[in-house]
Amino acid sequence: MKISKADKLINKRIKKSRISKRFTFKRFAECFFTYLGLLAIAAVFFFPVLWLILASFSESGSMYTFKGFFPSSYSVDTFVKLFTDTKTYNYPQWFLNTLIVAVCSSVLGSLLVILTAYVMSRFRFGSRKGIMKTTMVLGMFPSFMAMTAVYMLMTQFDMIDNLWGLVLIYSAGAPMGYLTQKGFFDTISNSMYEAARIDGASNFKVFIRITLPIAMPMIIYTLLTSFTWPWSDFILPKLLLKNKDMYTVAVGLMSLGDTEFARFAAGSVFIIVLYFCLVKYMVNGLTAGAVKE
């Protein structure tokens, strides 16, 4: 029995529809399990944040029972107490100290990082590869290994209990993380630099008028990452700051007693809000420079 052309066409369409359904189900399953995994990871990371937020509204938070984290009654008295009861725990002063350190170290450190990355990306000199390899090897070691040497240096320079000592260390150590910025500068076309040099522009003018405007997203990213670091760093400020009035937020919150967990959570909420406000600009700073025209 011969099969007509119309029947063959119908059979082909049936097979295609079955294949398309099969692939549609496969794609659905892949998307389902992918999003399920992402939601599970997000829940793991979001749970401590939710825990802190709920604990900050507790009348008597405790870090040993779930009643402190999931309070039966809510109150904003903890936030009021955080800024008014400053005799023992001066949170406003800690916040101001951290803000000063963060702003100064982000500006100075970002300047050093951008200059280091630009030199490593655009200039060729004898010890260039050696310096890059050395910085990569040193970056493999944790920073707290040098704390003893840092403490001795700060003692000699009389910078114990001095916020400018923190600014100096943060800024001096910032150029070690120049590789991200260098990778950005490597993607900038050489034709623009060559055209500028043909027109008689010096290296300084090329850097100011061409590189900086193009690298503005990366500069913003560098500023924000340098700004957020002092808010979470604990080891170095704890080592150098002995006076309670000179504490940063991280050291001050860790110095609270076990019965002050509600106050600890309330103080941490402001840091969480700060990170949520800045993370958008950090991501935009990275993605804005992905495509260059």
Side-chain angles (χ1 to χ4, degrees), residues 127-140 176:
S127 58
R128 176 176 171 272
K129 291 185 178 181
I131 295 175
M132 292 178 62
K133 291 179 181 179
T134 303
T135 54
M136 290 181 65
V137 172
L138 292 177
M140 298 171 61
M176 293 290 293

Side-chain angles (χ1 to χ4, degrees), residues 142-155:
S143 58
F144 64 83
M145 292 181 64
M147 289 302 171
T148 304
V150 169
Y151 182 79
M152 296 300 296
L153 287 174
M154 292 298 103
T155 303

Side-chain angles (χ1 to χ4, degrees), residues 32 77 85 131 138 160 173 189 199 201 262-263 271:
F32 175 78
D77 292 339
D85 185 13
I131 295 175
L138 292 177
I160 303 298
S189 176
D199 292 337
R263 184 183 293 200
I271 312 303

Side-chain angles (χ1 to χ4, degrees), residues 111-132:
L111 177 62
L112 296 176
V113 171
I114 295 299
L115 291 175
T116 303
Y118 179 74
V119 170
M120 290 296 180
S121 175
R122 291 299 164 185
F123 294 93
R124 300 294 182 267
F125 46 92
S127 58
R128 176 176 171 272
K129 291 185 178 181
I131 295 175
M132 292 178 62

Side-chain angles (χ1 to χ4, degrees), residues 182-280:
K182 177 186 176 299
F184 184 92
F185 289 134
D186 289 341
T187 60
I188 300 177
S189 176
N190 287 323
S191 60
M192 290 184 291
Y193 293 101
E194 293 173 357
R197 290 191 178 95
I198 290 174
D199 292 337
S202 61
N203 289 327
F204 180 76
K205 288 185 178 180
V206 169
F207 177 73
I208 296 296
R209 297 184 180 181
I210 296 178
T211 305
L212 290 186
I214 297 176
M216 192 56 64
M218 182 53 63
I219 294 174
I220 295 174
Y221 167 79
T222 306
L223 283 169
L224 293 180
T225 51
S226 300
F227 179 81
T228 55
W229 176 247
W231 296 92
S232 59
D233 186 28
F234 170 77
I235 298 178
L236 184 62
K238 180 63 176 177
L239 181 69
L240 298 182
L241 304 177
K242 306 300 181 182
N243 187 355
K244 277 192 174 183
D245 290 335
M246 302 299 295
Y247 280 176
T248 60
V249 168
V251 179
L253 291 179
M254 289 300 295
S255 68
L256 298 177
D258 294 341
T259 59
E260 297 286 346
F261 187 76
R263 184 183 293 200
F264 173 86
S268 302
V269 166
F270 290 99
I271 312 303
I272 294 172
V273 172
L274 176 67
Y275 273 85
F276 273 107
C277 293
L278 296 180
V279 69
K280 173 183 176 182

